[in-house]
Amino acid sequence: MRKHASVFAVLALLLAVVPLRAQAPAVSQSELAAIHQIREEGFDPKTSKVMEIISYLSDVYGPRLTNSPDIKEAANWTTEQMKQWQLSNVHLEPWGPFGRGWSNERTSVQVLSPRPFPLIAYAKAWTPGTNGPVTADAVFAPLTKDEDFAKFKGQLKGKFVLTEPIPESPERFDPQAHRYTDAELAELSTQPVPGARNDLEERIAHFRAMRAFQLKVQQFLVDEGAAVWVEPSRGDDGTVFVQQGGGRDKEKDPPAPTRIAVANENYGRIARMLEKKVPITMFADIQNKFYDDDLNSFNIVGEIPSSDKTKADQIVMLGGHFDSWQSGTGATDNGAGSAVMLEAIRILKASGLKMRRTVRIALWTGEEQGLLGSRAYIKQHFGDPNAEDPATHLIKITPEQAKLDAYYNVDNGTGKIRGVYLQGNEMVAPIFNAWMVPFHDLGMTNLSIRNTGGTDHLSFDAVGLPGFQFIQDPLDYDTRTHHSNMDVYERIQEPDMKQMAVIVASFVYLTANRDEMIPRKPLPKPVPVRNFP
């Protein structure tokens, strides 16, 4: 008997003993049989492929910065896998323009004197390199307000410039990784307190002010002729969080100096020595490349065709973003989500289960720069959340919009699924409550009426489509791996990855075979570009 051969009996028992909420449609015996097949395929170590997929995406082809050579090679590998699994309509769907490609070929940074020590340092994306090895003095020049520029004018030419105050490094007595407690899940299931996060305009204004000042610092360092802009990471214990430091459009974006993020422990040591008037000489050899041959990017698409001609034009989608930042290998953000979705559609294909609607996977690029890939896809296929239909005064949609049933997204790291964010769609609650029952034994028990942000389901929600992000255990995603050099394969949790793939495959299967499409919220009115999503 295979390891999970008793699962079917467990599922049947769960249906008998776990009460459902009012009017929740029951999961049928045939659906339970299908879920049993999905669990068998997804959990069996002989058939599961999810860890192999994430290793290729992160170890072999990571990181996957949008428009880099790495992401293009990763996409080629992924489409070949999808074809080997005999998916249909496998292709790269272009969108753009995005901007120049960029890659880091070498980052070597260290202190040479008064005594040498290496630095944990990473180049910021879309910044230039040093054009060969550079050796120069370091200057501690905190630039936190406009008055600071005059203080350091004429002193930074050819220097390694530290522009931030020394970061704090508080002692940590609590673990940085955790799973949701029952109390936390219960709190997520409640309506949010009215007005609790009614500070959007304030946060937008704060971000814009910070961005504007950073551009002033950038231009000042370029004008002064600084050799390298040195910044501390917000992490600690050698974890370095690294994102973008330059522009993708060479015609419109202002010039940037060579720019690196270093571990805050390294940064603090250098800054404290400079405060003591100890001269420091640093060395850097940073090789960054720009690619101007193709300014467009792409999304990765593949399908399992419908088995029911009457519903073949209706689509159930699953996906996540494929791109990452450059300091780690993009394992938890979002190689994990991409691998889970690829494994989910592989499971559905390998199981041979018939699905009445077409199932389509889409893996997005440009998410880290503002959900660009999924936004472009939505505009190409379903509608424009920023354009008004003059007849209805609601958003302008396409005929395809009526044919998209639902979209499921994974993009919160490697933690197992605990439920679903409903994005305010209360009509879905009875359906999902019933569908979760077979997974109570795997820890999936909760629905949250709340919205959750920052990922590609928002692009679907913005044009009135049912788009859902799963609730996942946070683990150390926000504290350690998200956009950091610790975003690597070793942070991936295999049992959680298998659990996610099985649940996603099951929800997609149940959606694809439901008589009716998933209920929708009313079409929204157009929103200003800056508020979407």
Side-chain angles (χ1 to χ4, degrees):
M1 182 179 290
R2 296 170 71 183
K3 184 176 180 181
H4 295 278
S6 63
V7 168
F8 185 74
V10 172
L11 299 183
L13 179 62
L14 277 169
L15 278 178
V17 301
V18 179
L20 302 180
R21 294 183 185 179
Q23 299 181 346
V27 178
S28 70
Q29 290 295 315
S30 62
E31 289 169 334
L32 279 176
I35 292 171
H36 170 66
Q37 282 186 253
I38 290 169
R39 289 177 70 138
E40 286 282 283
E41 179 71 24
F43 282 122
D44 192 323
K46 295 179 181 178
T47 55
S48 172
K49 301 293 184 186
V50 71
M51 296 306 289
E52 178 182 335
I53 296 169
I54 185 58
S55 181
Y56 270 99
L57 292 182
S58 57
D59 293 332
V60 179
Y61 295 108
R64 302 172 307 281
L65 191 72
T66 297
N67 247 14
S68 68
D70 296 327
I71 199 169
K72 293 176 181 179
E73 291 181 24
N76 289 337
W77 179 85
T78 301
T79 55
E80 284 303 311
Q81 290 300 301
M82 292 163 71
K83 290 173 183 177
Q84 287 181 27
W85 300 334
Q86 298 184 339
L87 299 189
S88 301
N89 195 25
V90 175
H91 65 282
L92 300 181
E93 189 162 318
W95 62 268
F98 169 78
R100 294 185 292 174
W102 181 92
S103 67
N104 171 248
E105 306 296 310
R106 178 185 297 171
T107 299
S108 177
V109 186
Q110 72 173 76
V111 168
L112 297 179
S113 67
R115 50 194 50 81
F117 60 90
L119 303 183
I120 303 172
Y122 295 88
K124 291 201 166 186
W126 288 286
T127 59
T130 55
N131 195 27
V134 172
T135 299
D137 292 337
V139 176
F140 184 39
L143 300 171
T144 61
K145 54 187 184 300
D146 288 334
E147 294 77 11
D148 293 331
F149 295 120
K151 210 185 317 184
F152 297 102
K153 188 173 178 59
Q155 303 175 41
L156 308 180
K157 185 175 179 60
K159 301 292 197 298
F160 287 73
V161 184
L162 287 69
T163 60
E164 294 290 331
I166 299 172
E168 295 183 3
S169 296
E171 193 62 69
R172 301 193 183 278
F173 297 99
D174 297 319
Q176 291 187 279
H178 82 288
R179 294 194 183 276
Y180 279 126
T181 65
D182 291 342
E184 288 171 327
L185 288 171
E187 196 275 332
L188 269 179
S189 297
T190 63
Q191 288 277 6
V193 177
R197 286 306 303 269
N198 192 22
D199 59 350
L200 178 61
E201 293 300 325
E202 182 180 335
R203 286 183 287 132
I204 291 173
H206 178 68
F207 172 81
R208 286 178 171 169
M210 287 180 59
R211 174 63 178 159
F213 188 78
Q214 280 281 293
L215 288 173
K216 285 184 180 181
V217 174
Q218 177 174 305
Q219 189 61 55
F220 179 69
L221 295 178
V222 169
D223 293 342
E224 291 295 299
V228 181
W229 183 359
V230 183
E231 297 172 275
S233 162
R234 67 176 175 83
D236 54 21
D237 297 340
T239 298
V240 182
F241 293 84
V242 191
Q243 293 180 235
Q244 187 168 335
R248 305 188 306 270
D249 190 326
K250 66 179 179 181
E251 304 299 330
K252 296 180 181 178
D253 291 319
T258 301
R259 188 172 177 182
I260 60 173
V262 304
N264 74 10
E265 294 88 353
N266 293 159
Y267 187 95
R269 180 180 179 185
I270 296 169
R272 287 188 296 271
M273 291 171 69
L274 291 171
E275 282 186 322
K276 294 175 175 61
K277 311 300 182 185
V278 177
I280 291 179
T281 302
M282 294 180 64
F283 165 88
D285 184 4
I286 300 169
Q287 294 183 16
N288 298 330
K289 285 187 177 180
F290 288 90
Y291 303 87
D292 297 309
D293 53 321
D294 185 0
L295 301 182
N296 289 326
S297 190
F298 55 83
N299 297 314
I300 305 168
V301 179
E303 293 180 345
I304 300 177
S306 159
S307 64
D308 182 344
K309 292 182 179 180
T310 66
K311 294 186 181 295
D313 61 345
Q314 296 178 9
I315 309 294
V316 180
M317 289 189 68
L318 66 160
H321 77 88
F322 194 70
D323 61 311
S324 76
W325 288 110
Q326 71 276 13
S327 59
T329 60
T332 69
D333 185 29
N334 184 38
S338 294
V340 163
M341 294 317 198
L342 288 165
E343 174 70 349
I345 202 166
R346 185 202 67 78
I347 289 170
L348 290 170
K349 183 65 177 179
S351 69
L353 293 168
K354 301 297 184 184
M355 289 176 288
R356 299 171 66 191
R357 294 179 177 86
T358 297
V359 171
R360 179 183 298 163
I361 185 173
L363 303 176
W364 319 109
T365 64
E367 189 271 355
E368 296 293 1
Q369 291 74 42
L371 315 187
L372 300 182
S374 60
R375 286 184 181 182
Y377 185 88
I378 291 296
K379 194 170 182 178
Q380 290 165 3
H381 291 275
F382 303 127
D384 187 345
N386 309 121
E388 181 178 87
D389 184 332
T392 65
H393 301 294
L394 301 175
I395 62 168
K396 188 175 182 180
I397 59 173
T398 71
E400 278 187 81
Q401 196 263 9
K403 300 298 184 180
L404 195 284
D405 192 344
Y407 170 75
Y408 297 103
N409 194 80
V410 168
D411 180 23
N412 286 155
T414 184
K416 70 181 179 181
I417 288 173
R418 307 301 300 277
V420 188
Y421 291 103
L422 297 180
Q423 292 297 126
N425 190 346
E426 296 178 350
M427 296 175 289
V428 182
I431 301 166
F432 285 0
N433 264 311
W435 291 359
M436 287 195 304
V437 170
F439 305 105
H440 283 184
D441 65 316
L442 299 180
M444 187 191 194
T445 59
N446 278 70
L447 297 179
S448 175
I449 195 62
R450 303 180 184 196
N451 300 339
T452 185
T455 191
D456 294 291
H457 72 290
L458 295 177
S459 300
F460 289 79
D461 188 66
V463 293
L465 292 169
F468 304 104
Q469 165 70 26
F470 291 95
I471 300 169
Q472 294 175 251
D473 274 336
L475 302 185
D476 55 2
Y477 182 66
D478 287 325
T479 58
R480 186 61 60 185
T481 70
H482 184 237
H483 299 174
S484 85
N485 60 336
M486 290 295 105
D487 188 3
V488 293
Y489 179 89
E490 283 73 15
R491 307 317 308 153
I492 295 293
Q493 303 300 312
E494 181 173 353
D496 292 23
M497 295 285 283
K498 290 180 175 179
Q499 185 252 25
M500 284 193 283
V502 163
I503 288 174
V504 170
S506 298
F507 266 60
V508 168
Y509 170 83
L510 292 167
T511 305
N513 286 298
R514 193 169 178 269
D515 288 337
E516 299 84 19
M517 295 174 73
I518 294 293
R520 301 182 176 199
K521 297 184 293 185
L523 276 180
K525 292 183 178 180
V527 294
V529 173
R530 64 187 177 89
N531 285 346
F532 169 63

